[in-house]
Coordinates of all heavy atoms in Angstrom, one line a residue:
N18 N 106.8 81.3 81.1 CA 105.5 81.7 81.4 C 105.1 81.3 82.9 O 104.5 82.0 83.6 CB 104.4 81.2 80.5 CG 103.8 82.3 79.6 OD1 103.9 83.5 79.9 ND2 103.1 81.9 78.6
V19 N 105.5 80.1 83.2 CA 105.2 79.6 84.6 C 106.0 80.4 85.6 O 105.4 80.8 86.6 CB 105.6 78.1 84.7 CG1 105.5 77.6 86.1 CG2 104.7 77.2 83.7
R20 N 107.3 80.7 85.3 CA 108.1 81.4 86.3 C 107.5 82.9 86.4 O 107.4 83.4 87.5 CB 109.5 81.5 85.8 CG 110.4 82.1 86.8 CD 111.9 82.0 86.4 NE 112.1 81.2 85.1 CZ 113.1 81.3 84.4 NH1 114.2 82.0 84.7 NH2 113.3 80.6 83.3
F21 N 107.1 83.5 85.3 CA 106.5 84.8 85.3 C 105.3 84.8 86.1 O 105.1 85.7 87.0 CB 106.2 85.2 83.8 CG 105.4 86.5 83.7 CD1 106.0 87.7 84.0 CD2 104.1 86.5 83.3 CE1 105.2 88.9 83.9 CE2 103.3 87.6 83.2 CZ 103.9 88.8 83.5
R22 N 104.4 83.8 85.9 CA 103.1 83.8 86.7 C 103.4 83.6 88.2 O 102.7 84.1 89.1 CB 102.2 82.6 86.2 CG 101.7 82.9 84.9 CD 100.6 84.0 85.0 NE 100.2 84.5 83.6 CZ 99.5 85.5 83.4 NH1 99.1 86.3 84.4 NH2 99.2 85.9 82.2
E23 N 104.4 82.8 88.6 CA 104.8 82.6 90.0 C 105.2 83.9 90.6 O 104.9 84.3 91.7 CB 105.8 81.5 90.1 CG 105.3 80.1 89.9 CD 106.4 79.1 89.8 OE1 107.6 79.4 89.8 OE2 106.1 77.9 89.7
M24 N 106.0 84.7 89.8 CA 106.5 86.0 90.3 C 105.4 86.9 90.5 O 105.3 87.7 91.5 CB 107.6 86.6 89.3 CG 108.9 85.8 89.3 SD 110.0 86.6 88.1 CE 111.3 85.4 88.1
V25 N 104.5 87.0 89.5 CA 103.3 87.8 89.6 C 102.4 87.5 90.8 O 102.1 88.3 91.6 CB 102.4 87.8 88.3 CG1 101.1 88.4 88.5 CG2 103.2 88.4 87.2
D26 N 102.2 86.2 91.0 CA 101.3 85.7 92.1 C 102.0 86.1 93.5 O 101.3 86.4 94.4 CB 101.1 84.2 92.1 CG 100.1 83.8 91.0 OD1 99.4 84.7 90.5 OD2 100.1 82.7 90.6
G27 N 103.3 86.1 93.5 CA 104.0 86.4 94.8 C 103.9 87.9 95.1 O 104.2 88.3 96.3
R28 N 103.7 88.8 94.1 CA 103.6 90.2 94.4 C 102.3 90.8 94.3 O 102.1 92.0 94.5 CB 104.6 90.9 93.4 CG 106.0 90.5 93.4 CD 106.7 90.6 94.7 NE 106.9 92.0 95.2 CZ 107.9 92.8 94.9 NH1 108.8 92.4 94.1 NH2 107.9 94.0 95.4
K29 N 101.3 90.0 93.9 CA 99.9 90.5 93.6 C 99.3 91.2 94.7 O 98.7 92.3 94.6 CB 99.1 89.4 93.0 CG 97.8 89.9 92.4 CD 97.0 88.7 91.8 CE 97.6 88.4 90.4 NZ 96.7 87.6 89.6
R30 N 99.3 90.6 95.9 CA 98.6 91.3 97.1 C 99.3 92.6 97.4 O 98.5 93.5 97.8 CB 98.7 90.3 98.3 CG 97.8 89.1 98.0 CD 97.5 88.3 99.3 NE 96.8 87.1 99.0 CZ 95.5 87.1 98.7 NH1 94.8 88.2 98.6 NH2 94.9 85.9 98.4
E31 N 100.6 92.7 97.4 CA 101.3 94.0 97.6 C 100.8 95.0 96.6 O 100.5 96.2 96.9 CB 102.8 93.8 97.6 CG 103.5 95.1 97.7 CD 105.0 94.9 97.6 OE1 105.5 93.8 97.3 OE2 105.7 95.9 97.7
Y32 N 100.8 94.6 95.3 CA 100.4 95.5 94.2 C 99.0 96.0 94.4 O 98.7 97.2 94.2 CB 100.5 94.8 92.9 CG 100.3 95.6 91.7 CD1 101.3 96.3 91.0 CD2 99.0 95.7 91.1 CE1 101.1 97.0 89.9 CE2 98.8 96.5 90.0 CZ 99.9 97.1 89.4 OH 99.6 97.9 88.2
L33 N 98.1 95.1 94.8 CA 96.7 95.5 94.9 C 96.3 96.1 96.3 O 95.2 96.6 96.4 CB 95.8 94.3 94.7 CG 95.9 93.7 93.3 CD1 95.1 92.4 93.2 CD2 95.4 94.7 92.3
D34 N 97.2 96.2 97.2 CA 97.0 96.8 98.5 C 96.6 98.3 98.3 O 97.3 99.0 97.5 CB 98.2 96.7 99.4 CG 98.0 97.2 100.8 OD1 97.5 98.3 101.0 OD2 98.3 96.4 101.7
P35 N 95.5 98.8 98.8 CA 95.1 100.2 98.6 C 96.2 101.2 99.1 O 96.2 102.3 98.6 CB 93.8 100.3 99.4 CG 93.5 99.0 100.0 CD 94.6 98.0 99.7
R36 N 97.1 100.8 99.9 CA 98.1 101.7 100.4 C 99.3 101.8 99.4 O 100.1 102.7 99.6 CB 98.6 101.3 101.8 CG 97.5 101.4 102.9 CD 98.0 100.7 104.1 NE 98.1 99.3 103.8 CZ 98.2 98.3 104.7 NH1 98.2 98.6 106.0 NH2 98.4 97.1 104.3
T37 N 99.3 100.9 98.5 CA 100.5 101.0 97.5 C 100.2 102.1 96.5 O 99.2 102.1 95.8 CB 100.6 99.6 96.8 OG1 100.7 98.6 97.8 CG2 101.8 99.6 95.9
K38 N 101.2 103.0 96.5 CA 101.1 104.1 95.5 C 101.5 103.7 94.1 O 102.1 102.7 93.9 CB 102.1 105.2 96.0 CG 101.9 105.7 97.4 CD 100.9 106.7 97.5 CE 100.9 107.4 98.9 NZ 99.7 107.1 99.6
K39 N 101.1 104.6 93.2 CA 101.3 104.3 91.7 C 102.8 104.1 91.4 O 103.1 103.2 90.7 CB 100.7 105.4 90.9 CG 100.8 105.2 89.4 CD 100.1 106.2 88.6 CE 100.3 106.1 87.1 NZ 100.2 104.9 86.5
A40 N 103.6 104.9 92.0 CA 105.1 104.8 91.7 C 105.6 103.4 92.2 O 106.4 102.8 91.5 CB 105.8 105.9 92.4
E41 N 105.1 103.0 93.3 CA 105.5 101.7 93.8 C 105.0 100.5 93.0 O 105.7 99.5 92.7 CB 105.1 101.5 95.3 CG 105.5 100.2 95.9 CD 107.0 100.0 95.9 OE1 107.8 100.9 95.9 OE2 107.5 98.8 96.0
K42 N 103.8 100.7 92.4 CA 103.2 99.7 91.5 C 104.1 99.5 90.3 O 104.3 98.4 89.8 CB 101.8 100.0 91.2 CG 100.8 99.8 92.3 CD 99.4 100.2 91.9 CE 98.5 100.0 93.1 NZ 97.1 100.0 92.8
T43 N 104.5 100.7 89.8 CA 105.4 100.7 88.6 C 106.7 99.9 88.9 O 107.2 99.2 88.1 CB 105.7 102.1 88.2 OG1 104.5 102.7 87.8 CG2 106.6 102.2 86.9
R44 N 107.3 100.2 90.1 CA 108.5 99.5 90.5 C 108.3 98.0 90.7 O 109.2 97.2 90.3 CB 109.0 100.1 91.8 CG 109.8 101.4 91.6 CD 110.5 101.8 92.9 NE 109.6 102.3 93.9 CZ 109.2 103.6 94.0 NH1 109.5 104.5 93.1 NH2 108.4 104.0 95.0
I45 N 107.1 97.6 91.2 CA 106.9 96.2 91.3 C 106.8 95.5 90.0 O 107.4 94.4 89.8 CB 105.5 96.0 92.1 CG1 105.6 96.4 93.5 CG2 105.1 94.5 92.0 CD1 104.3 96.5 94.3
A46 N 106.1 96.1 89.0 CA 106.1 95.5 87.6 C 107.5 95.5 87.0 O 107.8 94.5 86.4 CB 105.1 96.3 86.8
A47 N 108.2 96.6 87.2 CA 109.6 96.6 86.6 C 110.5 95.6 87.2 O 111.3 95.0 86.5 CB 110.2 98.0 86.8
R48 N 110.3 95.4 88.5 CA 111.1 94.3 89.2 C 110.8 92.9 88.7 O 111.7 92.1 88.5 CB 110.9 94.4 90.7 CG 111.7 93.5 91.5 CD 113.2 93.8 91.3 NE 114.0 92.7 91.9 CZ 115.2 92.9 92.2 NH1 115.8 94.0 92.0 NH2 115.9 91.9 92.7
I49 N 109.6 92.7 88.4 CA 109.2 91.3 87.9 C 109.9 91.2 86.5 O 110.4 90.1 86.2 CB 107.7 91.2 87.8 CG1 107.1 91.1 89.2 CG2 107.3 90.0 86.9 CD1 105.6 91.1 89.3
V50 N 109.8 92.2 85.7 CA 110.4 92.1 84.3 C 111.9 91.9 84.5 O 112.5 91.0 83.8 CB 110.1 93.4 83.5 CG1 110.9 93.4 82.2 CG2 108.6 93.5 83.2
S51 N 112.5 92.6 85.4 CA 114.0 92.5 85.6 C 114.3 91.1 86.1 O 115.3 90.4 85.6 CB 114.4 93.5 86.6 OG 115.8 93.4 86.9
D52 N 113.5 90.6 87.0 CA 113.8 89.2 87.6 C 113.6 88.1 86.5 O 114.4 87.2 86.5 CB 112.8 88.9 88.8 CG 113.2 89.7 90.0 OD1 114.3 90.4 90.1 OD2 112.3 89.8 90.9
V53 N 112.6 88.3 85.6 CA 112.5 87.3 84.6 C 113.7 87.3 83.7 O 114.2 86.3 83.3 CB 111.2 87.6 83.7 CG1 111.2 86.8 82.4 CG2 109.9 87.3 84.6
R54 N 114.1 88.5 83.3 CA 115.3 88.6 82.4 C 116.6 88.2 83.0 O 117.5 87.7 82.3 CB 115.4 90.0 81.9 CG 114.2 90.4 80.9 CD 114.4 91.7 80.4 NE 113.4 92.0 79.3 CZ 112.9 93.1 79.0 NH1 113.3 94.2 79.6 NH2 112.0 93.3 78.1
D55 N 116.7 88.4 84.3 CA 117.9 88.0 85.1 C 118.0 86.6 85.5 O 119.0 86.1 86.0 CB 118.1 88.9 86.3 CG 118.4 90.4 85.9 OD1 118.8 90.6 84.7 OD2 118.3 91.2 86.8
A56 N 116.9 85.8 85.4 CA 116.8 84.4 85.8 C 117.8 83.6 85.0 O 118.2 83.9 83.9 CB 115.4 83.9 85.7
H57 N 118.1 82.4 85.5 CA 118.9 81.4 84.8 C 118.1 80.1 84.6 O 117.8 79.5 85.6 CB 120.2 81.1 85.6 CG 121.0 82.4 85.8 ND1 121.8 82.9 84.7 CD2 121.2 83.2 86.8 CE1 122.4 84.0 85.2 NE2 122.0 84.2 86.4
P58 N 117.8 79.8 83.4 CA 118.0 80.5 82.2 C 117.1 81.8 82.1 O 116.0 81.8 82.7 CB 117.6 79.5 81.1 CG 116.6 78.6 81.7 CD 117.0 78.5 83.2
A59 N 117.6 82.7 81.3 CA 116.9 84.0 81.2 C 115.6 83.9 80.5 O 115.5 83.1 79.6 CB 117.8 85.0 80.5
G60 N 114.6 84.7 81.0 CA 113.3 84.7 80.3 C 113.3 85.9 79.4 O 114.1 86.9 79.6
R61 N 112.4 85.9 78.5 CA 112.2 87.0 77.5 C 110.7 87.3 77.4 O 109.9 86.5 77.6 CB 112.9 86.7 76.2 CG 114.4 86.5 76.3 CD 115.0 86.2 75.0 NE 114.6 84.9 74.5 CZ 114.7 84.5 73.2 NH1 115.3 85.3 72.4 NH2 114.3 83.4 72.9
F62 N 110.5 88.5 76.9 CA 109.1 88.9 76.6 C 109.1 89.1 75.1 O 109.6 90.0 74.5 CB 108.7 90.2 77.3 CG 108.7 90.1 78.8 CD1 109.8 90.2 79.6 CD2 107.5 89.8 79.4 CE1 109.7 90.0 81.0 CE2 107.4 89.6 80.8 CZ 108.5 89.7 81.6
L63 N 108.3 88.2 74.4 CA 108.4 88.1 73.0 C 107.0 88.3 72.3 O 106.0 88.0 73.0 CB 108.9 86.7 72.5 CG 110.3 86.3 73.1 CD1 110.6 84.9 72.7 CD2 111.4 87.2 72.6
K64 N 107.0 88.7 71.1 CA 105.8 88.8 70.3 C 106.2 88.3 68.9 O 107.3 88.7 68.4 CB 105.4 90.3 70.2 CG 104.1 90.4 69.4 CD 103.6 91.8 69.3 CE 102.3 91.8 68.5 NZ 101.7 93.1 68.5
Q65 N 105.3 87.5 68.3 CA 105.6 87.0 67.0 C 105.1 88.0 65.9 O 104.0 88.5 66.0 CB 104.9 85.7 66.8 CG 105.3 85.0 65.5 CD 104.7 83.6 65.4 OE1 103.6 83.3 65.9 NE2 105.4 82.7 64.8
D66 N 106.0 88.3 65.0 CA 105.6 89.1 63.8 C 104.7 88.3 62.9 O 105.1 87.3 62.4 CB 106.9 89.5 63.1 CG 106.6 90.5 61.9 OD1 105.7 90.2 61.1 OD2 107.3 91.5 61.8
P67 N 103.5 88.8 62.7 CA 102.5 88.0 61.9 C 103.0 87.8 60.4 O 102.6 86.9 59.8 CB 101.2 88.8 62.0 CG 101.6 90.2 62.4 CD 102.9 90.1 63.2
R68 N 103.8 88.8 59.9 CA 104.2 88.7 58.5 C 105.4 87.7 58.4 O 105.3 86.8 57.5 CB 104.6 90.1 58.0 CG 104.8 90.2 56.5 CD 105.2 91.6 56.1 NE 106.2 92.2 56.8 CZ 107.5 92.0 56.6 NH1 107.9 91.2 55.7 NH2 108.4 92.7 57.4
T69 N 106.4 87.9 59.2 CA 107.6 87.0 59.1 C 107.5 85.7 59.9 O 108.3 84.8 59.7 CB 108.9 87.8 59.5 OG1 108.8 88.1 60.9 CG2 109.0 89.0 58.7
R70 N 106.6 85.7 60.9 CA 106.5 84.6 61.8 C 107.7 84.5 62.8 O 107.8 83.5 63.4 CB 106.2 83.3 61.1 CG 105.1 83.4 60.1 CD 103.8 82.8 60.3 NE 103.7 81.6 61.0 CZ 102.8 81.4 61.9 NH1 101.9 82.3 62.2 NH2 102.7 80.3 62.6
L71 N 108.6 85.5 62.8 CA 109.7 85.5 63.7 C 109.3 86.1 65.0 O 108.5 87.0 65.1 CB 110.9 86.2 63.1 CG 111.4 85.6 61.7 CD1 112.5 86.6 61.2 CD2 112.0 84.2 62.0
W72 N 110.0 85.7 66.1 CA 109.8 86.2 67.4 C 110.8 87.4 67.7 O 111.9 87.3 67.3 CB 110.0 85.1 68.4 CG 108.9 84.1 68.3 CD1 109.0 82.9 67.6 CD2 107.6 84.1 68.9 NE1 107.8 82.2 67.7 CE2 106.9 82.9 68.5 CE3 107.0 85.0 69.8 CZ2 105.7 82.6 69.0 CZ3 105.7 84.7 70.2 CH2 105.0 83.5 69.8
A73 N 110.3 88.4 68.3 CA 111.1 89.6 68.6 C 110.8 90.0 70.1 O 109.6 90.0 70.5 CB 110.9 90.7 67.7
E74 N 111.8 90.5 70.8 CA 111.7 91.1 72.1 C 110.7 92.3 72.0 O 110.8 93.1 71.1 CB 113.0 91.5 72.6 CG 113.1 92.2 73.9 CD 112.7 91.3 75.1 OE1 113.1 90.2 75.2 OE2 111.9 91.8 76.0
I75 N 109.8 92.5 73.0 CA 108.9 93.6 73.0 C 109.4 94.9 73.6 O 108.7 95.9 73.5 CB 107.5 93.2 73.6 CG1 107.6 92.8 75.1 CG2 106.9 92.1 72.8 CD1 106.3 92.6 75.8
G76 N 110.5 94.8 74.4 CA 111.0 96.0 75.0 C 110.5 96.2 76.4 O 109.5 95.6 76.8
D77 N 111.1 97.1 77.1 CA 110.8 97.4 78.5 C 109.4 97.9 78.7 O 108.6 97.4 79.6 CB 111.8 98.4 79.1 CG 113.1 97.8 79.4 OD1 113.2 96.5 79.4 OD2 114.1 98.5 79.5
D78 N 108.9 98.9 78.0 CA 107.6 99.5 78.2 C 106.5 98.5 78.1 O 105.6 98.4 78.9 CB 107.4 100.7 77.3 CG 108.2 101.9 77.7 OD1 108.7 102.0 78.8 OD2 108.4 102.8 76.8
R79 N 106.5 97.7 77.0 CA 105.5 96.8 76.8 C 105.6 95.6 77.8 O 104.5 95.1 78.2 CB 105.5 96.2 75.4 CG 105.1 97.3 74.4 CD 105.0 96.9 73.0 NE 103.9 96.0 72.8 CZ 103.8 95.3 71.7 NH1 104.6 95.4 70.6 NH2 102.8 94.4 71.5
A80 N 106.8 95.2 78.2 CA 106.9 94.2 79.2 C 106.4 94.7 80.5 O 105.7 93.9 81.3 CB 108.4 93.8 79.3
W81 N 106.6 95.9 80.9 CA 106.1 96.5 82.1 C 104.6 96.5 82.1 O 103.9 96.2 83.1 CB 106.7 97.9 82.4 CG 108.1 97.9 82.7 CD1 108.9 96.9 83.2 CD2 109.0 99.0 82.4 NE1 110.2 97.4 83.3 CE2 110.3 98.7 82.8 CE3 108.8 100.3 81.9 CZ2 111.4 99.5 82.7 CZ3 109.9 101.2 81.9 CH2 111.2 100.8 82.3
R82 N 104.0 96.9 81.0 CA 102.6 96.9 80.8 C 102.0 95.5 81.0 O 100.9 95.3 81.6 CB 102.1 97.6 79.5 CG 102.3 99.1 79.5 CD 101.6 99.8 78.4 NE 101.9 99.3 77.1 CZ 102.8 99.9 76.3 NH1 103.4 101.0 76.7 NH2 103.0 99.4 75.1
K83 N 102.7 94.5 80.4 CA 102.2 93.1 80.5 C 102.3 92.7 82.0 O 101.3 92.0 82.4 CB 103.1 92.2 79.6 CG 102.8 90.8 79.7 CD 103.7 89.9 78.8 CE 103.4 88.5 78.9 NZ 102.1 88.0 78.5
A84 N 103.3 93.0 82.7 CA 103.4 92.6 84.1 C 102.4 93.3 84.9 O 101.7 92.7 85.8 CB 104.8 93.0 84.6
S85 N 102.1 94.6 84.6 CA 101.1 95.3 85.4 C 99.7 94.7 85.1 O 98.9 94.6 86.1 CB 101.1 96.8 85.0 OG 102.3 97.4 85.4
Q86 N 99.4 94.4 83.9 CA 98.1 93.8 83.6 C 98.0 92.4 84.3 O 96.9 92.1 84.9 CB 98.0 93.6 82.1 CG 96.7 92.9 81.7 CD 95.4 93.7 82.1 OE1 95.4 94.9 81.9 NE2 94.4 93.0 82.6
A87 N 99.0 91.6 84.3 CA 99.0 90.4 85.0 C 98.8 90.6 86.5 O 98.1 89.8 87.2 CB 100.3 89.6 84.8
L88 N 99.4 91.6 87.1 CA 99.2 91.9 88.5 C 97.8 92.3 88.8 O 97.3 92.1 89.9 CB 100.2 93.0 88.9 CG 101.6 92.5 89.1 CD1 102.6 93.7 89.0 CD2 101.8 91.8 90.4
R89 N 97.1 92.9 87.9 CA 95.7 93.3 88.1 C 94.7 92.2 87.9 O 93.5 92.3 88.3 CB 95.3 94.5 87.2 CG 96.0 95.8 87.6 CD 95.5 97.0 86.8 NE 95.6 96.8 85.3 CZ 96.7 97.3 84.7 NH1 97.7 97.8 85.3 NH2 96.8 97.1 83.3
E90 N 95.1 91.1 87.2 CA 94.1 90.0 87.0 C 93.6 89.5 88.3 O 94.4 89.4 89.3 CB 94.8 88.9 86.2 CG 95.1 89.3 84.8 CD 95.9 88.2 84.0 OE1 96.2 87.1 84.6 OE2 96.2 88.4 82.9
S91 N 92.4 89.2 88.4 CA 91.7 88.6 89.6 C 91.6 89.7 90.7 O 91.4 89.3 91.9 CB 92.4 87.4 90.1 OG 92.5 86.4 89.1
A92 N 91.8 90.9 90.4 CA 91.8 92.0 91.4 C 90.5 92.0 92.2 O 90.5 92.1 93.4 CB 92.1 93.4 90.8
P93 N 89.3 92.0 91.5 CA 88.1 92.0 92.3 C 88.0 90.9 93.3 O 87.5 91.1 94.5 CB 87.0 91.9 91.3 CG 87.6 92.4 90.0 CD 89.1 92.0 90.1
E94 N 88.4 89.7 93.0 CA 88.3 88.6 93.9 C 89.3 88.8 95.1 O 88.9 88.5 96.2 CB 88.6 87.3 93.2 CG 87.6 86.9 92.1 CD 87.9 87.5 90.8 OE1 88.8 88.3 90.6 OE2 87.1 87.1 89.8
I95 N 90.4 89.3 94.8 CA 91.4 89.5 95.9 C 91.0 90.6 96.8 O 91.1 90.5 98.0 CB 92.8 89.7 95.3 CG1 93.3 88.5 94.6 CG2 93.8 90.2 96.4 CD1 94.6 88.6 93.8
R96 N 90.4 91.6 96.2 CA 89.9 92.7 97.1 C 88.7 92.3 97.9 O 88.6 92.7 99.1 CB 89.6 93.9 96.2 CG 90.8 94.6 95.6 CD 90.4 95.9 94.9 NE 91.6 96.5 94.4 CZ 91.9 96.7 93.1 NH1 91.0 96.4 92.2 NH2 93.0 97.3 92.7
A97 N 87.9 91.4 97.3 CA 86.7 90.9 98.1 C 87.2 90.1 99.3 O 86.5 90.1 100.3 CB 85.8 90.1 97.2
E98 N 88.3 89.3 99.1 CA 88.8 88.5 100.2 C 89.2 89.4 101.4 O 89.1 88.9 102.6 CB 90.0 87.7 99.8 CG 89.7 86.6 98.8 CD 90.9 85.9 98.3 OE1 92.1 86.2 98.8 OE2 90.8 85.1 97.4
R99 N 89.7 90.6 101.2 CA 90.1 91.5 102.2 C 89.0 92.0 103.1 O 89.2 92.5 104.2 CB 90.9 92.6 101.6 CG 92.2 92.2 101.1 CD 93.1 93.4 100.8 NE 94.4 93.0 100.5 CZ 95.2 93.5 99.6 NH1 94.8 94.6 99.0 NH2 96.3 93.0 99.3
Q100 N 87.8 92.0 102.5 CA 86.7 92.6 103.3 C 86.0 91.6 104.2 O 86.1 90.5 104.2 CB 85.7 93.2 102.3 CG 86.2 94.3 101.5 CD 85.3 94.8 100.4 OE1 84.2 94.2 100.2 NE2 85.6 95.9 99.8

């Protein structure tokens, strides 16, 4: 989680830049997911099954959505700093 947040913080301004197109935003989120998974030790995106209480990988689409949401956090404050 710490490494993920550091990666997100490092790309947040680029992601929120008004000149950044939607396709590039998708690539930024996908790159963060890839970097987390490729790290040593490797990171994973997990969700606990409420019935079995076991942890399972959430897959690429949900991981990309999670990364995109994290990149949008604090967006109003960051945009206000630019003005």
Side-chain angles (χ1 to χ4, degrees):
N18 249 348
V19 172
R20 189 175 354 164
F21 172 73
R22 290 289 170 191
E23 288 171 353
M24 289 178 188
V25 166
D26 288 343
R28 304 299 298 271
K29 193 175 278 198
R30 292 197 185 283
E31 177 186 2
Y32 185 91
L33 295 173
D34 189 306
R36 296 169 295 195
T37 303
K38 304 276 190 251
K39 182 172 174 47
E41 182 59 23
K42 289 180 179 192
T43 300
R44 282 191 285 277
I45 292 169
R48 182 63 191 199
I49 290 171
V50 171
S51 176
D52 289 348
V53 167
R54 289 183 174 153
D55 292 343
H57 298 285
R61 297 181 293 165
F62 293 86
L63 304 173
K64 181 177 180 176
Q65 189 174 33
D66 182 311
R68 190 176 51 79
T69 65
R70 314 255 321 140
L71 297 175
W72 293 91
E74 174 70 41
I75 63 173
D77 287 340
D78 288 338
R79 290 183 68 190
W81 293 335
R82 286 196 303 264
K83 178 180 176 61
S85 294
Q86 178 61 42
L88 286 158
R89 288 190 300 271
E90 288 175 2
S91 305
E94 293 87 355
I95 291 171
R96 288 185 180 121
E98 289 174 9
R99 288 196 171 141
Q100 296 177 353

